[in-house]
């Protein structure tokens, strides 16, 4: 691992992915982007990614299913799942799948930044 | 329908009775009249015959004297001498004296004549009539004989003649011409025996001449078998007898109407009696029929009133024991049972109608509820889809604003102000979406035991209460716990409180929240001091999309009622006497404790 923190941001809404990546870049994150679940699985396999910020609802492969595959390959990885629906059912299932946190949309950006900081603190300079 | 069919029995029966009786009486009367008439005629004819017989005997006696006188004169020698020698004046004078003596003795004589064998008048006393050979019957020269009647001038006469003999030789005749002489006595006898109307007729046996002793008359026909004949324009009956030793017939004649007068009087009496009988029978028939039809008319009126659907007329007391009485009693029983059946039916119909109305109302309510739920579900689905879809762009915008604020710390104040403005509007939009999603969230209730005061605290904390609104809580100390879905109950309370605050619309007022328990229920009242709900909107405010607010989508109260009902409760509203409205939330209490 080099010194930079890496995060894979996955959402089928490109605008969401762009803005989140730009914000996280401001806070010193190296960001990878994916716009659907299967791309996320491929990227996570090819790169050294330990933290994911992933939307729950996506075409083809939803966030939880993608996470299940990724987790099997990278047990150390953590995921923050975003959902606009946030029904109790989703939350329960997510917890069962070892999702680290479930965040409801709309996101409280400062809180998100703080949460991600706590997951992978910036390396001390 | 014929006239007979239309007529009332009350008239038909008496009429029939009268017709039958009239026919019977008429037939009987005519038969009786016929018999009596025949008998009367037979009796009259018999009497006429007997009277004629008696008169004939009288006449016979009268004839005897004249016969003798003529025979004596015929044997006078003076007549013989005169006939022997008509030129001998002495003999002729002696003969004339003899004839005159005969004429004097019998005042009725028309003439007394002495004729020779050839009927030539030798001498005559009185007014001699021309000799009419035709009326001279075949006479015997041996004895006195009479001729038939004939007309001499205007008088009806006959001859009595006796032969004059000179020794054994017949030399001439003494002829007496005279009218029928028995009239006065005969007519008197007749009047005594039969009556003034009887007529005595004399005629020749050969029918050549008939007289009523005054003049010639048409020939009468003896009424054999009582058959009348017409003479002088009048129907008559007669009986005739021959007079012995004469060529005459004596007839007694009566006008038929006189003979039949008593019979006709009997017929008149019979007719009067018949009319009386028929009228009496008709009247009796009418009375009898009325005694039958009057109750039937009454029964018919009652039956018609029953058939017409009106309540039966009150029954009248029945005193009769006959068939009509039985009919009336049976009818009364039937009418009573009809009335009972009708009442029973009506009450049943009333019950059924009420049941149907109740069922219909329930059905209507259920349908309304179903419709409301359906609309709500659809709206919920739509709202949910839109809400969720809106969240993404809002999130992106939110991120963008955050990024711009982070990267432009030294931006001009106006840019910062606008960024803050955008952020605020995004937040507002997010809240609207959240509210929408909250208000349409529907999942089956998961009931739990809920402490109402705690729930109220939580929910009041979620609502921003303006400073102008005072809040008053009045919760019963023995308030039971409610058995509901806490989320649902919370959402209802938030909606009600929000609604109450909006009803007071900035002007401020009093928000009262009361709660008490009763009969296994928890009753929560949320009261405001706003303008109240217009009466026409009291139910509509629970319909989806109904709103009186300038802003809002009109789902809060509708969703609240649905949630309340899903939790086996209900939500209603009423206006307060002064101002304001109170919403009553009724929920099941937790009865396990």
């Amino acid at each position: 691992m080099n010194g930079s923190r890496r995060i894979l941001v996955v959402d089928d809404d490109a605008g969401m992915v762009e803005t989140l990546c730009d914000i996280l870049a401001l806070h010193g994150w190296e960001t990878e982007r994916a716009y659907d679940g299967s791309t996320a699985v491929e990227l996570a396999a090819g790169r050294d990614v330990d933290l994911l910020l992933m939307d729950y609802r996506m075409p083809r492969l939803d966030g939880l299913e993608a996470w299940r595959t990724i987790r099997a390959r990278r047990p150390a990885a953590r995921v923050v799942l975003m959902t606009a629906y946030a029904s109790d059912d989703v939350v329960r299932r997510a917890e069962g799948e070892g999702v680290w946190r479930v965040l409801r949309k709309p996101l409280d950006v400062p809180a998100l930044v703080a949460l991600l900081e706590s997951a992978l603190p910036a390396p001390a300079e | 329908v014929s006239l007979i069919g239309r007529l009332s029995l009350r008239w038909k029966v008496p009429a029939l009775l009268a017709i039958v009786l009239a026919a019977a009486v008429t037939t009987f009367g005519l038969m009786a009249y016929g018999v009596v008439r025949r008998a009367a005629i037979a009796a009259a004819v018999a009497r006429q015959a007997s009277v004629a017989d008696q008169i004939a005997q009288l006449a016979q006696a009268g004839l005897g004297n004249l016969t003798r006188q003529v025979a004596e004169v015929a044997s006078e020698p003076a007549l013989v001498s005169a006939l022997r020698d008509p030129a001998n004046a002495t003999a002729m004078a002696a003969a004339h004296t003899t004839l005159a003596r005969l004429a004097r003795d019998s005042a009725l004589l028309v003439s007394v004549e002495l004729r020779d064998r050839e009927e030539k008048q030798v001498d005559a006393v009185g007014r001699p009539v021309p000799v009419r050979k035709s009326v001279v019957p075949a006479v015997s020269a041996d004895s006195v004989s009479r001729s038939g009647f004939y007309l001499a001038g205007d008088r009806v006469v006959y001859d009595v003649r006796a032969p004059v003999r000179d020794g054994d030789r017949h030399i001439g005749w003494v002829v007496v011409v005279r009218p029928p002489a028995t009239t006065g006595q005969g007519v008197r006898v007749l009047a005594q025996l039969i009556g003034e109307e009887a007529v005595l007729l004399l005629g020749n046996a050969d029918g050549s001449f008939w007289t009523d002793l005054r003049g010639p008359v048409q020939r009468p026909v003896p009424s054999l078998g009582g058959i009348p004949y017409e003479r002088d324009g009048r129907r008559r009956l007669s009986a005739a007898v021959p007079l012995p030793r004469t060529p005459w017939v004596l007839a007694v004649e009566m006008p038929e109407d006189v003979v039949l007068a008593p019979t006709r009087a009997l017929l008149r009496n019979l007719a009067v009696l018949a009319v009386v009988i028929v009228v009496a029978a008709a009247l009796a028939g009418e009375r009898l029929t009325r005694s039958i039809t009057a109750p039937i008319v009454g029964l018919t009126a009652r039956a018609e009133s029953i058939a017409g659907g009106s309540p039966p007329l009150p029954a009248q007391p029945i005193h009769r024991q006959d068939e009509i009485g039985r009919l009336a009693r049976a009818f009364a029983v039937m009418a009573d049972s009809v009335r009972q059946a009708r009442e029973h039916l009506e009450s049943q119909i009333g019950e059924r109608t009420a049941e149907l109305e109740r069922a219909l109302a329930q059905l209507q309510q259920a349908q309304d509820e179903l419709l409301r739920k359906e609309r709500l579900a659809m709206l919920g689905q739509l709202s949910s889809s839109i809400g969720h879809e809106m969240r993404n762009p809002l999130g992106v915008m939110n991120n963008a604003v955050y990024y711009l604020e982070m990267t432009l710390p030294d931006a001009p104040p106006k840019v910062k102000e606008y960024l803050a403005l955008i952020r605020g509007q995004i937040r507002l939009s997010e809240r609207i979406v959240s509210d929408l999603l909250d208000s349409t969230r529907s999942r089956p209730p998961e009931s739990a035991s809920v402490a109402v005061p705690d729930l109220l605290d939580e929910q009041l904390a979620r609502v921003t209460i303006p400073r102008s609104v005072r809040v008053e809580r009045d919760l019963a100390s023995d308030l039971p716990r409610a058995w509901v879905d806490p989320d649902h109950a919370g959402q209802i309370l938030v909606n009600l409180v929000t609604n109450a605050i909006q009803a007071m619309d900035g002007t401020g007022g009093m928000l009262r929240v009361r709660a008490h328990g009763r009969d296994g229920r928890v009753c929560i009242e949320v009261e405001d001091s706003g303008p109240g709900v217009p009466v026409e909107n009291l139910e509509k405010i629970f319909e989806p999309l109904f709103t009186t607010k300038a802003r809002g989508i009109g789902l809060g109260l509708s969703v609240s009622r649905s949630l309340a009902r899903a939790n086996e409760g209900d939500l209603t509203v009423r206006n307060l006497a002064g101002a304001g409205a109170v919403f009553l939330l009724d929920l099941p209490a937790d009865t396990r404790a």
Side-chain angles (χ1 to χ4, degrees), chain B residues 215-483:
Chain B
V217 296
Q218 199 185 333
R219 179 188 180 185
V221 182
S223 301
L224 303 171
I227 297 164
Y229 58 92
E230 198 168 304
R231 189 174 69 75
D232 290 347
R234 210 169 170 189
R235 286 163 66 83
R236 296 161 195 274
L237 291 163
S238 69
V241 289
L243 287 173
R245 289 189 298 283
T246 70
W248 303 338
V249 175
L250 186 145
V252 172
E253 186 188 71
M254 288 279 282
E256 189 193 37
D257 51 4
V258 174
V259 170
L260 291 181
T263 313
R264 295 221 161 110
L266 172 70
L267 184 66
R268 255 194 317 280
N269 291 345
L270 268 183
V272 169
L273 189 64
V275 168
V276 168
I277 287 173
V278 166
V279 168
L283 288 177
E286 197 274 334
R287 275 206 71 157
L288 179 67
T289 314
R290 196 174 49 196
S291 77
I292 293 169
T293 55
I296 289 176
V297 166
L299 290 179
T300 306
R302 298 186 61 208
E304 281 168 352
S305 85
I306 292 171
S310 40
L313 303 170
Q316 280 149 3
I318 301 153
H319 305 298
R320 300 171 65 143
Q321 298 296 325
D322 57 8
E323 292 84 346
I324 297 284
R326 280 176 57 197
L327 174 63
R329 265 187 291 277
F331 184 87
V333 171
M334 188 201 74
D336 199 46
S337 62
V338 166
R339 183 181 53 75
Q340 284 176 2
R342 186 202 297 270
E343 283 168 5
H344 181 61
L345 214 58
E346 275 169 0
S347 80
Q348 273 195 334
I349 288 171
E351 282 170 26
R352 295 287 184 278
T353 308
E355 278 172 25
L356 274 177
E357 278 166 356
R358 276 198 298 279
L360 196 65
Q362 283 173 1
L363 205 63
Q364 188 71 49
Q365 206 178 350
Q367 199 185 2
D368 290 351
E369 184 71 17
L370 204 65
L371 212 65
R372 212 172 61 84
K373 274 184 177 165
E374 226 167 84
R375 282 176 75 183
L376 257 187
M378 208 184 72
L379 284 169
Q381 221 169 353
L382 186 68
S383 309
S384 168
S385 299
I386 294 173
H388 286 116
E389 288 306 312
M390 287 301 292
R391 271 184 171 169
N392 263 334
L394 285 174
V396 174
M397 282 189 268
N398 193 36
N399 291 353
V401 170
Y402 180 85
Y403 182 84
L404 290 175
E405 282 179 335
M406 287 292 291
T407 53
L408 297 172
D410 302 321
K414 210 59 178 171
V415 172
K416 287 189 174 172
E417 187 193 330
Y418 275 33
L419 284 173
L421 189 70
I422 295 171
R423 193 177 56 228
Q425 293 301 313
I426 291 170
R427 196 157 299 144
L428 182 61
S429 302
E430 280 174 348
R431 215 180 60 228
I432 292 171
V433 169
S434 296
D435 285 354
L436 181 64
L437 290 176
D438 279 352
S439 69
T440 59
R441 183 176 54 202
S442 68
R443 60 169 171 77
E446 291 170 10
S447 295
S449 185
V450 174
V452 176
D454 296 348
L455 186 73
L456 202 57
D457 286 342
E458 280 170 30
Q459 303 306 325
L460 281 175
R462 281 177 60 190
V463 182
T464 313
I465 298 173
R467 241 187 274 268
S468 59
V469 172
R470 279 198 297 129
V471 180
E472 199 180 279
R473 290 162 51 124
D474 177 13
L475 308 183
S477 56
D478 57 348
L479 186 64
R481 294 171 74 86
W483 182 251

Side-chain angles (χ1 to χ4, degrees), chain A residues 11-13 15-16 19-20 22-23 26-27 55 83-85 88 105-110 113, chain B residues 384-385 388-389 391-400 402-403 406-407 430 434 437 443 487:
Chain A
D11 199 313
D12 59 328
D13 185 337
M16 182 61 78
T19 53
L20 281 177
D22 287 347
I23 289 167
L26 281 182
H27 289 279
D55 192 25
T83 173
Y85 295 86
D88 295 345
K105 286 181 174 178
L107 299 169
D108 181 345
V109 179
V113 171
Chain B
S384 168
S385 299
H388 286 116
E389 288 306 312
R391 271 184 171 169
N392 263 334
L394 285 174
V396 174
M397 282 189 268
N398 193 36
N399 291 353
Y402 180 85
Y403 182 84
M406 287 292 291
T407 53
E430 280 174 348
S434 296
L437 290 176
R443 60 169 171 77
D487 287 349

